[in-house]
Amino acid sequence: EVQLVESGGGLVKPGGSLRLSCGASGLTFSDAWMIWVRQAPGKGLEWVGRIKSKADGETTGYSAPVEGRFTISRDDSKNTLFLQMTSLETEDTGIYYCSTERAGAMDHWGQGTLVTVSS
Amino acid sequence: QSALTQPATVSGSPGQSITISCTGAYNDFAFYNYHNYVSWYQQHPGKAPKLMIYEISNRPSGVSPRFSGSRSGNTASLTISGLQAEDEADYYCSSYTTSSTYVFGTGTKVTVL
């Protein structure tokens, strides 16, 4: 069974930084393409970005609101996905989910970690 | 990239069928590698989303056959047949775009009367 567990969320001031982690088990993590999705309180889902496998170049892509501020990376030796967030804004507040990507969909999801950006 | 448009709410009685629409611009529904990457997600309150449909009409293992998907032009649809109380949740469509990004729909709250 695939399990994804996010961690690293918390309260941070505007302009601050935070790094989220997503530990994976039950899959060959090195082969997986991974995605981050977020959800502001009471709002809908928003795609944040993705990273392909090393075999596919570890190519990353980001949504316009986070491009240049967020960086996705991975450590295949530790089966862990990361989301480095800098220059945080209040609009970045929300639950951050990691997921696996397969056949153009997000097929396994973690339980999410809450990020609150507030002074 | 604007969100795909879904109705805010859809409701039905137990046993009925309901359909949720998801409308976007032409390049929101990319034809990529000979596939149409449109998917649907169910989210119960306080829970993580769950994949219900991928590639327009395919169900992952374990998803009830009461859930089905289709697409016509720039509109994708999710149909829930034999509506049950447990189907009450928020539903989101998503598509892979020509910009190699994903876009979600605005979300639909399904209420079982």
Side-chain angles (χ1 to χ4, degrees), chain A residues 35 37 39 43-47 50 52 62-64 97 101-107 109-111, chain B residues 32 37-39 41 43 47-51 53-55 92 94 96 100-106:
Chain A
I35 282 176
V37 173
Q39 186 170 33
K43 302 296 184 183
L45 302 174
E46 180 186 13
W47 183 80
R50 80 114 90 84
K52 296 182 179 180
Y62 303 92
S63 63
Y97 298 99
E101 177 184 358
R102 188 179 69 87
M106 288 141 261
D107 58 342
W109 296 68
Q111 84 290 347
Chain B
Y32 187 80
Y37 291 140
V38 177
S39 51
Y41 304 86
Q43 186 180 34
K47 300 295 186 183
K50 174 186 176 183
L51 176 65
I53 296 287
Y54 67 97
E55 290 187 44
Y92 296 89
S94 177
Y96 191 65
S100 299
T101 62
Y102 283 89
V103 60
F104 282 100
T106 50

Side-chain angles (χ1 to χ4, degrees), chain A residues 11-65:
Chain A
L11 175 63
V12 61
K13 288 181 168 52
S17 299
L18 204 60
R19 189 175 84 153
L20 306 183
S21 300
C22 169
S25 61
L27 76 165
T28 305
F29 182 74
S30 59
D31 291 340
W33 293 17
M34 301 296 296
I35 282 176
W36 286 99
V37 173
R38 67 183 180 183
Q39 186 170 33
K43 302 296 184 183
L45 302 174
E46 180 186 13
W47 183 80
V48 171
R50 80 114 90 84
I51 186 167
K52 296 182 179 180
S53 63
K54 184 174 182 178
D56 292 307
E58 277 193 27
T59 308
T60 55
Y62 303 92
S63 63

Side-chain angles (χ1 to χ4, degrees), chain B:
Chain B
Q1 185 75 54
S2 298
L4 304 173
T5 301
Q6 298 180 231
T9 60
V10 173
S11 59
S13 299
Q16 285 187 330
S17 292
I18 62 170
T19 296
I20 304 168
S21 61
C22 169
T23 302
Y26 175 76
N27 61 359
D28 286 334
F29 295 103
F31 191 69
Y32 187 80
N33 279 352
Y34 309 103
H35 295 277
N36 270 131
Y37 291 140
V38 177
S39 51
W40 288 90
Y41 304 86
Q42 176 192 65
Q43 186 180 34
H44 287 108
K47 300 295 186 183
K50 174 186 176 183
L51 176 65
M52 304 302 284
I53 296 287
Y54 67 97
E55 290 187 44
I56 297 181
S57 61
N58 295 309
R59 279 186 309 275
S61 174
V63 172
S64 170
R66 298 187 297 105
F67 291 84
S68 61
S70 62
R71 177 192 166 183
S72 177
N74 293 347
T75 298
S77 299
L78 174 71
T79 298
I80 308 175
S81 305
L83 197 63
Q84 298 180 1
E86 67 204 49
D87 301 331
E88 188 162 289
D90 293 327
Y91 291 83
Y92 296 89
C93 61
S94 177
S95 179
Y96 191 65
T97 77
T98 54
S99 304
S100 299
T101 62
Y102 283 89
V103 60
F104 282 100
T106 50
T108 298
K109 182 177 179 61
V110 168
T111 301
V112 181
L113 302 172

